[in-house]
Amino acid sequence: MSTTGRGLGHVVVIGAGIAGLAAAHRLLGRGARVTVLEAGDRVGGKLLPGEIAGVRVDLGAESMLARRPEAVELAREAGLAEQLQPPATATASIWTRGALRPMPKGHVMGVPGTAAALGGVLTAEGLARIERDADLPRTEIGDDVAVGEYVAARLGREVVDRLVEPLLGGVYAGDAYRISMRSAVPQLFQAARAHTSLTEGVREIQAGAAAQRQTGPVFMGIAGGVGRLPLAVAESVRARGGEILTGTPARALRRDAAGGWLITAGERLLHADAVIVAVPAPAAAALLRDESPGAAAELAAVEYASMALITLAYRRADTELPEGSGFLVPPVDGRTIKASTFASRKWGWIAEEDPDVVVLRTSVGRHGETEVLGWDDADLVEVSRHDLREATGLTARPLRTRVTRWTDGLPQYPVGHHARVARVRAHVARLPGLAVCGAQYDGVGIPACVASAYAAVDQLAGDLGGVEELTANPVQSLHGGAGE
């Protein structure tokens, strides 16, 4: 191996999504020589900039959690500091029981601290059920529990179906009754361990957050779209001497006799001192099958949800929308779309680019839903228009429409996900100079993906004897916070 104990040598990063690019960016700062391999023809993964009716838009994730530092700091490091913008409005609604209703405040991922302000969203019976929480005996949760199962046991199914499901489903496109509380909402998991009453635990979380309240917005965007972030990071990687090869899939990964790595990439055979695998679970499983069959088997079992985003542009003169940035839709209400964003109202830069155009987004698709995602683009546009008309009264015909499909776009975090991730990392740790990162491990949001990349670089530094410590952008254990 070529590393001397003061550097990381040549590191190959497989995958040029935001996790892989963040890893490459950090590796270059550690003095490594870096090659990034990307099977597709572009970088960025689920962050995709686009255009509709002459206005720049995001065709993937559109925002990032600002209360975690990793993504915002990476944007600054990549030269986007002046382009960071918070949402122009953070007021959202929930479309339930036939009307748009203000999203209740004072909750943790839809779990309320009190029944106050939930009228109209919940029935009188549902409100009364919340009040019973204080008198119920402790609900044992063991090593992990599904969010929906635990919350329903404490507060009733209405809270799950009308509040938790649309919020949690918006992040993971999954089923709240399957999603791990420990992995997806760890602050609730800790509260459930510490308190008999769930509402008491939620109020404690809220009090702690208020006492440590950070200044600034909860979420952040980028003028021109969050899809600019991976492009800027890639440009920075190249400017600092890193190589990014698109259209170059990694087909095989194996140890060499000297303890390094050989990567078959297209027609090339690359030698590396270390490798970071930053691709989705199925692709990672295929690459690791020979050298780490245990990790490969665990990764092959990770399930994914598919979804589609429908972007619609209207003449402003033809639209009159309710207040706020958009709305969420509980699955129990039987609608096809699961959310809509009033993008021109949420992001000031969209309105500034063309004041005469209004851009909306809808999303469809949850884990296990296959029929609706099999519809053609025209049908997805029409069902979006239908639901928008029912929710907001919008009857105008759009100027332009775009449908973006994210097949197997979101990894699922079922009960026991944390244990699976621990097993994957235990297997990988047996192979010095190998690390993994990405959305399937510690959170699907942009900051969590960046944090997982930094953790992978830290691991390699330990494996290969790098001496510099990473003091910026500490990796936090907080999950949740999806960019979308």
Side-chain angles (χ1 to χ4, degrees):
M1 295 175 68
S2 61
T3 182
T4 64
R6 292 195 59 83
L8 297 174
H10 179 213
V11 183
V12 169
V13 179
I14 302 174
I18 193 58
L21 291 170
H25 193 266
R26 177 56 63 96
L27 284 163
L28 288 163
R30 301 296 304 277
R33 181 166 68 89
V34 178
T35 303
V36 182
L37 305 177
E38 170 55 45
D41 60 1
R42 65 173 186 86
V43 303
K46 306 304 182 295
L47 305 185
L48 177 61
E51 175 274 335
I52 188 169
V55 176
R56 290 179 298 170
V57 294
D58 279 308
L59 300 177
E62 63 167 6
S63 66
M64 49 195 178
L65 187 66
R67 294 285 168 84
R68 287 193 63 167
E70 298 90 350
V72 170
E73 290 186 5
L74 178 62
R76 292 192 176 109
E77 291 171 11
L80 295 173
E82 298 302 317
Q83 307 302 311
L84 291 166
Q85 286 191 15
T89 177
T91 303
S93 300
I94 185 164
W95 184 27
T96 189
R97 303 189 189 281
L100 286 177
R101 306 174 188 276
M103 178 64 69
K105 300 184 184 301
H107 62 82
V108 175
M109 195 56 78
V111 181
T114 72
L118 298 181
V121 176
L122 304 188
T123 63
E125 181 182 357
L127 295 171
R129 179 65 180 80
I130 294 173
E131 302 295 349
R132 289 177 52 198
D133 169 65
D135 300 321
L136 292 174
R138 176 179 292 275
T139 301
E140 297 300 329
I141 61 173
D143 191 50
D144 197 4
V145 67
V147 179
E149 175 188 342
Y150 176 76
V151 175
R154 301 301 313 180
L155 308 181
R157 288 185 64 98
E158 275 198 57
V159 170
V160 179
D161 294 345
R162 303 283 175 181
L163 291 169
V164 176
E165 188 77 82
L167 281 158
L168 199 61
V171 176
Y172 291 93
D175 178 352
Y177 292 97
R178 295 182 71 244
I179 292 175
S180 160
M181 186 161 71
R182 179 168 180 165
S183 293
V185 201
Q187 64 270 49
L188 274 183
F189 183 75
Q190 294 303 324
R193 283 187 154 181
H195 297 271
T196 297
S197 165
L198 176 57
T199 52
E200 180 183 330
V202 169
R203 290 193 297 271
E204 182 175 277
I205 293 171
Q206 293 167 340
Q212 301 176 12
R213 184 73 67 193
Q214 299 177 357
T215 59
V218 176
F219 292 97
M220 190 70 75
I222 295 173
V226 165
R228 293 181 60 194
L229 177 61
L231 301 180
V233 176
E235 182 179 350
S236 178
V237 166
R238 292 186 176 107
R240 298 162 71 188
E243 184 179 26
I244 301 176
L245 303 175
T246 56
T248 309
R251 303 191 185 280
L253 174 66
R254 68 182 189 275
R255 297 285 277 179
D256 67 16
W261 294 89
L262 297 174
I263 305 97
T264 303
E267 302 300 317
R268 303 172 61 172
L269 182 65
L270 301 179
H271 296 255
D273 297 292
V275 175
I276 293 179
V277 177
V279 292
L287 284 170
L288 297 175
R289 189 167 293 121
D290 291 338
E291 295 293 340
S292 185
E298 295 288 355
L299 287 165
V302 174
E303 297 181 60
Y304 278 74
S306 300
M307 62 177 296
L309 291 173
I310 299 92
T311 308
L312 309 100
Y314 294 85
R315 292 183 181 87
R316 182 171 296 276
D318 296 338
T319 63
E320 185 174 345
L321 297 171
E323 293 300 315
S325 61
F327 58 87
L328 296 172
V329 188
V332 72
D333 279 293
R335 310 294 183 175
T336 302
I337 67 172
K338 62 180 186 178
S340 178
T341 302
F342 305 159
S344 291
R345 184 175 290 159
K346 184 174 182 179
W347 303 112
W349 53 267
I350 294 181
E352 290 168 5
E353 287 202 353
D354 191 338
D356 295 325
V357 171
V358 170
V359 178
L360 309 181
R361 298 189 348 157
T362 66
S363 59
V364 301
R366 298 178 178 87
H367 181 255
E369 287 185 357
T370 56
E371 182 180 357
V372 66
L373 293 170
W375 296 356
D376 62 28
D377 289 0
D379 289 335
L380 291 178
V381 169
E382 284 309 305
V383 77
S384 294
R385 292 186 62 205
H386 173 272
D387 283 0
L388 283 169
R389 182 170 60 251
E390 293 291 310
T392 72
L394 178 62
T395 59
R397 181 170 294 278
L399 293 167
R400 299 284 187 277
T401 62
R402 292 193 66 165
V403 175
T404 311
R405 297 172 185 269
W406 295 107
T407 303
D408 293 336
L410 284 169
Q412 297 300 286
Y413 282 25
V415 173
H417 176 78
H418 72 287
R420 168 167 287 148
V421 170
R423 292 192 297 270
V424 170
R425 288 190 167 130
H427 288 299
V428 169
R430 297 175 186 144
L431 297 168
L434 177 67
V436 296
C437 64
Q440 65 266 38
Y441 301 104
D442 303 310
V444 300
I446 300 172
C449 290
V450 174
S452 75
Y454 293 165
V457 174
D458 281 345
Q459 179 193 323
L460 293 188
D463 288 349
L464 302 182
V467 298
E468 298 176 25
E469 295 296 329
L470 298 179
T471 57
N473 300 314
V475 176
Q476 302 177 9
S477 62
L478 174 65
H479 302 176
E484 192 52 7

